[in-house]
């Protein structure tokens, strides 16, 4: 049985993939007093939702401002709404997705199996 474990962190969100279950958490900043004149920044973690079954073997996850993207070994890149977990779009790359990124207006992928 193949399973995957991925962790992706941004300033506002934490995305965890364990096996095929994907959980999204929101990070909220708060300041707490430590001493009389010193404040310490802390982050509270609040669970937003869990997607119980992500199809495909996920190889990469990236977070943007309002979405997160998953790439899988089957050549699919899926775009998800980060606040609701709704799948917005699926792109078929044609080969296993090893990594991807944005270069200006372009979406660049690295694919294939080594």
């Amino acid at each position: 049985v193949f399973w995957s474990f991925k962790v992706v962190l941004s300033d506002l969100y934490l995305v965890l993939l364990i096996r095929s279950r994907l959980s999204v958490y929101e990070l909220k900043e708060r300041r707490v007093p430590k001493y009389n004149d010193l404040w310490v920044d802390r982050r509270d973690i609040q669970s937003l939702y869990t997607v119980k079954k992500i199809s495909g073997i996920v190889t990469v996850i990236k977070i943007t401002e309002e979405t997160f993207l998953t790439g899988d070994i089957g050549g699919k890149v899926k775009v998800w709404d980060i606040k609701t977990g709704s799948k917005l779009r699926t792109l078929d790359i044609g080969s296993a997705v090893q990594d991807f990124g944005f270069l200006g207006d372009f979406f660049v992928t690295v694919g294939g199996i080594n």
Side-chain angles (χ1 to χ4, degrees):
V1 174
F2 181 88
W3 62 275
S4 181
F5 180 78
K6 304 275 186 247
V7 178
V8 183
L9 183 66
S10 74
D11 289 339
L12 300 175
Y13 297 99
L14 169 66
V15 178
L16 294 176
L17 177 72
I18 302 171
R19 297 185 184 220
S20 62
R21 181 179 295 230
L22 186 129
S23 299
V24 176
Y25 300 87
E26 186 173 25
L27 306 175
K28 295 189 176 185
E29 223 174 272
R30 67 182 170 98
R31 294 180 58 125
V32 295
K34 186 170 182 179
Y35 299 106
N36 293 338
D37 61 346
L38 179 65
W39 288 80
V40 178
D41 291 334
R42 298 276 189 229
R43 293 197 183 240
D44 290 329
I45 298 176
Q46 177 183 353
S47 176
L48 291 180
Y49 57 87
T50 297
V51 178
K52 294 189 186 236
K53 178 73 174 151
I54 298 287
S55 61
I57 298 171
V58 175
T59 55
V60 61
I61 301 174
K62 302 274 176 107
I63 298 175
T64 66
E65 288 182 21
E66 297 179 6
T67 62
F68 70 93
L69 298 91
T70 59
D72 65 39
I73 202 165
K76 304 258 190 296
V77 174
K78 297 172 186 165
V79 182
W80 307 81
D81 184 301
I82 198 153
K83 292 185 179 180
T84 65
S86 301
K87 186 169 36 173
L88 303 174
R89 171 177 239 166
T90 300
L91 306 168
D92 192 353
I93 304 304
S95 64
V97 180
Q98 293 179 349
D99 201 1
F100 53 78
F102 297 94
L103 181 63
D105 291 338
F106 296 97
F107 181 66
V108 180
T109 64
V110 177
I113 298 176
N114 293 342

